[in-house]
Amino acid sequence: MSFRYRFSLPRALLLVFLLVGSGVSAGVAAAVDTTTGAPSPQARITQAERALQAVRRSLDDADAPETLRTLSEQALQARRDADAAVAALAPQLEQIDARIAQLGPLDDGATEERSISRQRAALDQQRSQLDADIKRGKLLAEDVRQLSDSIEKTRAQQFGEQLGRKVGSPLSPALWRQFAASLPDDLARLQGLYRQAAGGLKAAVAAHGWTAPLVGAGLALLMVFPLRLWLRRLGRRYAASERAPDGRLRRSGLAVWLLLVGTLLPGFAAMVVVASLRGISAIPPRLESVADIFVLASFVAAFYAALAASLLVPHRPSWRLLGIDDVAALHLRRFAWGAAGLTWLSALLREINRSARTSTVSTVTLDGLVALSYVALIMAALVTLARLHRRRAAAAAQAEQAEQEAGAAADGRPPRATRSGWLVLARLGGHLTVLSALVATLLGYLNFAMFLAQQMVWVTVVVMAVALLTRFADDLSLWLFAPDSAFGRTLRLSTGVSPARMEQAGVLLSAVLRIGVVLLGIAAVVVWFGNTAALSAWADTLNTGLKIGGQTLRPSALLWALLVLLLGLGLMKVLQQWLVDTWLPRTGLDSGARNSISTVARYLGIALAVLWSLATLGIGFEKLALLASALSVGIGFGLQAITQNFVSGLILLAERPVKIGDWVKIGDQEGDIRRISVRSTEIQVGDKSTLIVPNSELITKTIRNMTMANALGRVQIQFSVPLGADVGRVRQLLLELFAGHEKVLDEPAPSVFIDSISGGLVALNCFAYVSSPRAVYGVRSDLLFALLQATAEQGIALVTPTDVRVLHADPQADDPVQ
């Protein structure tokens, strides 16, 4: 039996790119049903039930993978119809519930008017019918899901059985004897298929002429050669011009352009040729599948070749994205062309073999030759990679030897070759694949050998494509939101966004695009195992939404919620900027009050934006209350300090015991308040450092506000004079000094007091007042300078510390000399 998964797998290239559109098409179909007289939701549920029964009846006789795939697609379509019908009936049920709620509850034993009673009965009947239809649709969707899982398990089982099926080994003489015996019959079948093709073309040309085929062939040649080459040159000229973006986007953008041009134009050319033949009915029914495979194989082969050309760029090393030399680039490009040609030819030959209904031994022989061809191609590529590694090692050794000779590296260490991670992994994976495929081929497991070789080639192509697209997404995002780009300048001038914020937006966009490309690559690899229906089901699930805790989250709702959140935050920022710059300066409020109002407005705007976005997701306030009650336990245990600081910050902003600009003293630290947020307060101390104090400290502890209610600053000077000094003269001198300083206030008036008289000293305590406590230190210093100078000029002695010395006399010093 032939390996039925063989070329249905390359269809992954088109299927993966169309998966995203499947959900959109389903949504459009559901919308059309409500506006164009399509079947009602109840009728769609009935049709889905019939389709499900038909799939179940056909499943008992289904043994081919193609049949299972068709049944899986039919089941998936039935599930889509059921889900669409349920989605259409749900709003009707909500409307009826709202109308019943308007009628109010009916108490036991109470009577109501006949018209209201009839209306209530009719609404109850409609609600019961709608509820039954919705439950029937949901049950049907669940039955279809279970059936789809069963089909996928059957397909996976058959897939595993085909991979593990053992046929004749190429080394077995019996296989070649059977092939020789069946060769005449197979050639006769191929000749019959050829006669059908030639006869169909001859009859179509006789009826319609050669115009359509010749025009199709001419357009195909025009797209493949002149147009494709011209577009490639156009892309290179633009990338090398000054109009192209600066940076890495030049190279990655050119690579993506070459990939698109090299993939689409040959594929479209194949489509034009087939369409021109179908336009005159020149393709017999038995060759319809061959024509489809011809188009798909052309797309896939063109993708292989274009990807290699965009990454390797043999004759332009400065534009090359892979870190390899020119020799390796040339050889690897030939191997890529070989892989593309082998994929195209083997796919076409297999489909022709199937359409001609040749013998099983011929199919086995063809599969063995294809598997060996893939193995030979991989081995040749591995030889090229090994030579590239040796050249790199030799170049590294020569460079290190040159450095040693120049004295730059005289430590005597042996030269080390630089290794590339992807190169080592590629060689290791290639060797394992070649060894496994060769052993499987020689043992007769041709299906496994061919699948392994094709998987190696396909995974390599997917990895290279993902690497290219992720790099392009990164370069495009960073360039798009670069502050000096055209879009960046426009965005910066129109919104006032800072350059740092724009760069952050570019990084976030790059991350999102990278994730999307990686998921697309994973889907492309998974499709090789025949799980296209499963991927379509995943896409439908994402389109209809994920149900989490009774709430359905849809990608469209998430996108709208994100847009609403960004819009709300933008409006909040605009309003806060208007408050700070326009309205608050004209209110006459001090800076602290203005800061409190703007801060509260900011956090209130953030809260409203979050609530608005949650409402867009369908999360009501009652669910938020449940969430808040659930979080209260965690707040009580683990978030108590944060909550306390938050509430304290609101109290500070409302009561304003301290405000911005106040000079406060807390503990042994004092300084000016620079910022009050809902969690902490920033205080700038004397050495210009910032002291961050939790708001709860300012509420629960005693602090000294030096500037609250316009407090004055008091200058205190204490010193002593001898007891015999003229104290009245000293008092007059001090009052004159206070009166002569411009910052000393006249009211309250300065004062001089005698604090104490003891030990032959008179202790004086003097006070003066200034307009602010911040001026105390400087004014006190000025007054002390002036006091020292004035007392020195007038001969007033200030007491200095007493120097007490204790002398111990020698008792033997006064003794007479003996």
Side-chain angles (χ1 to χ4, degrees):
M1 185 176 180
S2 62
F3 185 44
R4 295 298 182 186
Y5 283 99
R6 50 187 180 258
F7 196 73
S8 62
L9 305 180
R11 301 187 184 191
L13 181 65
L14 294 182
L15 289 175
V16 169
F17 286 102
L18 294 178
L19 282 177
V20 180
S22 62
V24 178
S25 63
V28 174
V32 173
D33 290 343
T34 62
T35 58
T36 59
S40 63
Q42 292 83 355
R44 296 186 68 175
I45 294 176
T46 304
Q47 293 176 0
E49 289 178 342
R50 294 174 181 172
L52 178 60
Q53 295 174 0
V55 170
R56 284 177 173 169
R57 288 192 300 266
S58 303
L59 186 60
D60 297 333
D61 300 329
D63 56 352
E66 290 82 359
T67 306
L68 290 175
R69 182 171 59 252
T70 302
L71 294 178
S72 180
E73 292 173 355
Q74 292 176 359
L76 180 62
Q77 184 59 40
R79 182 180 176 183
R80 290 172 179 168
D81 293 339
D83 290 336
V86 170
L89 291 175
Q92 300 180 19
L93 182 62
E94 293 177 358
Q95 292 177 1
I96 291 181
D97 288 338
R99 296 177 62 184
I100 293 176
Q102 290 178 354
L103 294 178
L106 181 62
D107 299 331
D108 295 337
T111 59
E112 57 184 0
E113 296 182 3
R114 182 175 301 177
S115 59
I116 298 178
S117 178
R118 287 198 301 266
Q119 187 177 6
R120 185 187 298 274
L123 290 176
D124 290 339
Q125 183 179 3
Q126 293 178 12
R127 189 191 185 286
S128 300
Q129 184 63 38
L130 283 175
D131 185 64
D133 292 335
I134 290 176
K135 292 179 179 178
R136 185 162 62 102
K138 291 181 178 180
L139 181 61
L140 176 62
E142 181 63 22
D143 292 340
V144 173
R145 187 190 65 79
Q146 296 178 1
L147 182 61
S148 299
D149 294 340
S150 177
I151 294 175
E152 290 302 324
K153 291 180 181 178
T154 304
R155 292 179 63 190
Q157 183 179 0
Q158 290 187 0
F159 182 69
E161 291 175 354
Q162 288 189 4
L163 287 181
R165 184 175 293 114
K166 184 178 181 180
V167 296
S169 173
L171 300 180
S172 175
L175 176 65
W176 295 105
R177 285 197 298 268
Q178 294 177 5
F179 175 73
S182 62
L183 184 60
D185 295 337
D186 293 337
L187 290 177
R189 294 188 181 95
L190 291 174
Q191 289 177 359
L193 186 65
Y194 171 75
R195 286 193 296 270
Q196 286 187 16
L201 179 62
K202 186 175 181 181
V205 169
H208 302 281
W210 284 95
T211 303
L214 291 178
V215 170
L219 289 177
L221 291 175
L222 180 66
M223 285 190 289
V224 171
F225 292 105
L227 182 59
R228 182 175 64 89
L229 297 178
W230 178 75
L231 290 176
R232 286 167 60 91
R233 287 195 299 269
L234 181 64
R236 291 194 184 99
R237 284 200 301 267
Y238 178 79
S241 65
E242 296 181 355
R243 296 177 299 169
D246 297 330
R248 301 183 307 175
L249 187 59
R250 287 174 179 261
R251 293 198 303 170
S252 58
L254 176 61
V256 172
W257 173 256
L258 295 179
L259 178 62
L260 291 176
V261 171
T263 301
L264 297 180
L265 289 180
F268 288 154
M271 290 179 61
V272 168
V273 171
V274 172
S276 64
L277 294 177
R278 282 177 174 165
I280 61 174
S281 302
I283 302 177
R286 288 183 62 183
L287 290 174
E288 285 289 340
S289 61
V290 177
D292 294 337
I293 293 299
F294 170 74
V295 174
L296 283 173
S298 299
F299 271 109
V300 174
F303 179 73
Y304 285 10
L307 181 63
S310 60
L311 289 175
L312 299 175
V313 195
H315 304 292
R316 294 175 176 85
S318 60
W319 294 95
R320 189 175 304 140
L321 296 178
L322 297 181
I324 57 178
D325 53 25
D326 293 340
V327 177
L330 288 171
H331 285 83
L332 290 178
R333 186 182 182 185
R334 295 194 190 103
F335 297 143
W337 279 98
L342 180 60
T343 301
W344 184 87
L345 183 62
S346 61
L348 208 58
L349 289 177
R350 290 190 202 121
E351 192 60 30
I352 292 174
N353 187 31
R354 190 188 68 83
S355 299
R357 301 183 180 91
T358 57
S359 61
T360 304
V361 66
S362 298
T363 303
V364 170
T365 305
L366 178 61
D367 291 344
L369 293 176
V370 171
L372 291 175
S373 300
Y374 273 112
V375 169
L377 190 65
I378 295 174
M379 290 178 63
L382 290 176
V383 171
T384 299
L385 294 179
R387 292 175 178 174
L388 173 62
H389 176 68
R390 287 195 295 270
R391 287 196 298 271
R392 284 187 170 182
Q398 292 178 1
E400 189 164 353
Q401 184 178 2
E403 289 180 357
Q404 290 179 355
E405 292 177 355
D411 54 0
R413 291 179 297 178
R416 294 179 300 175
T418 57
R419 291 177 176 266
S420 179
W422 73 268
L423 190 60
V424 174
L425 291 177
R427 292 181 62 194
L428 178 60
H431 282 99
L432 293 177
T433 302
V434 168
L435 180 61
S436 302
L438 281 176
V439 172
T441 302
L442 296 178
L443 293 179
Y445 296 98
L446 296 181
N447 290 341
F448 177 74
M450 185 172 58
F451 171 77
L452 194 62
Q454 286 182 333
Q455 188 76 354
M456 176 65 186
V457 174
W458 177 247
V459 169
T460 302
V461 170
V462 170
V463 169
M464 292 294 101
V466 168
L468 172 60
L469 294 179
T470 51
R471 182 165 182 175
F472 173 71
D474 188 31
D475 297 342
L476 179 63
S477 303
L478 296 180
W479 170 80
L480 191 64
F481 285 94
D484 55 348
S485 65
F487 178 78
R489 288 193 298 268
T490 303
L491 186 64
R492 212 156 36 88
L493 294 175
S494 58
T495 62
V497 180
S498 63
R501 295 286 185 181
M502 293 186 59
E503 292 177 356
Q504 294 173 8
V507 173
L508 291 178
L509 178 61
S510 172
V512 172
L513 294 179
R514 281 171 172 263
I515 293 173
V517 170
V518 171
L519 292 178
L520 192 64
I522 294 174
V525 174
V526 171
V527 167
W528 271 81
F529 295 91
N531 293 330
T532 56
L535 290 177
S536 300
W538 295 344
D540 288 340
T541 302
L542 290 177
N543 181 60
T544 56
L546 297 175
K547 198 166 185 179
I548 302 175
Q551 183 67 32
T552 302
L553 297 181
R554 296 180 177 84
S556 58
L558 290 174
L559 179 61
W560 278 111
L562 179 60
L563 292 177
V564 165
L565 180 62
L566 294 177
L567 178 61
L569 294 178
L571 292 176
M572 177 273 300
K573 187 174 182 180
V574 172
L575 177 61
Q576 186 188 22
Q577 196 72 24
W578 176 78
L579 286 174
V580 173
D581 297 339
T582 306
W583 186 71
L584 289 177
R586 291 175 171 82
T587 59
L589 298 174
D590 57 86
S591 59
R594 294 199 298 266
N595 175 76
S596 299
I597 294 174
S598 63
T599 303
V600 171
R602 176 172 176 265
Y603 286 103
L604 182 61
I606 293 175
L608 292 177
V610 172
L611 293 177
W612 189 12
S613 63
L614 292 177
T616 306
L617 283 176
I619 302 176
F621 290 100
E622 67 281 358
K623 297 179 180 178
L624 292 178
L626 293 176
L627 179 62
S629 62
L631 290 177
S632 61
V633 178
I635 291 174
F637 286 98
L639 303 178
Q640 183 178 4
I642 297 177
T643 307
Q644 184 181 8
N645 289 326
F646 180 79
V647 175
S648 299
L650 296 180
I651 295 174
L652 288 177
L653 292 174
E655 295 186 358
R656 299 176 64 216
V658 294
K659 57 184 180 297
I660 292 179
D662 284 352
W663 183 24
V664 298
K665 183 176 182 180
I666 177 170
D668 58 348
Q669 298 288 338
E670 62 181 51
D672 296 321
I673 294 180
R674 295 302 185 190
R675 183 174 180 268
I676 301 176
S677 64
V678 294
R679 191 194 66 84
S680 61
T681 298
E682 298 178 4
I683 300 176
Q684 188 180 51
V685 295
D687 59 355
K688 302 302 181 182
S689 63
T690 301
L691 181 67
I692 299 177
V693 181
N695 288 331
S696 59
E697 297 286 327
L698 301 178
I699 295 296
T700 59
K701 292 186 178 181
T702 302
I703 65 171
R704 183 180 180 185
N705 193 334
M706 310 290 289
T707 56
M708 186 175 182
N710 297 322
L712 301 178
R714 189 180 71 167
V715 180
Q716 183 180 14
I717 298 177
Q718 294 175 312
F719 63 97
S720 299
V721 296
L723 185 60
D726 188 354
V727 180
R729 182 180 175 191
V730 174
R731 181 177 182 274
Q732 185 64 31
L733 175 63
L734 287 171
L735 292 177
E736 291 177 356
L737 290 177
F738 289 150
H741 199 287
E742 59 181 4
K743 291 186 178 181
V744 175
L745 300 178
D746 296 332
E747 186 63 32
S751 57
V752 179
F753 301 95
I754 296 178
D755 189 59
S756 65
I757 301 174
S758 64
L761 299 178
V762 179
L764 299 179
N765 197 358
C766 315
F767 298 96
Y769 295 90
V770 292
S771 60
S772 173
R774 295 185 179 87
V776 170
Y777 193 81
V779 173
R780 183 171 181 271
S781 176
D782 294 341
L783 292 175
L784 288 175
F785 275 114
L787 175 63
L788 292 175
Q789 184 178 1
T791 55
E793 291 176 352
Q794 298 186 19
I796 300 174
L798 298 181
V799 176
T800 59
T802 303
D803 187 9
V804 179
R805 296 184 181 183
V806 179
L807 302 178
H808 296 279
D810 189 357
Q812 299 180 357
D814 297 334
D815 293 344
V817 179
Q818 299 295 333

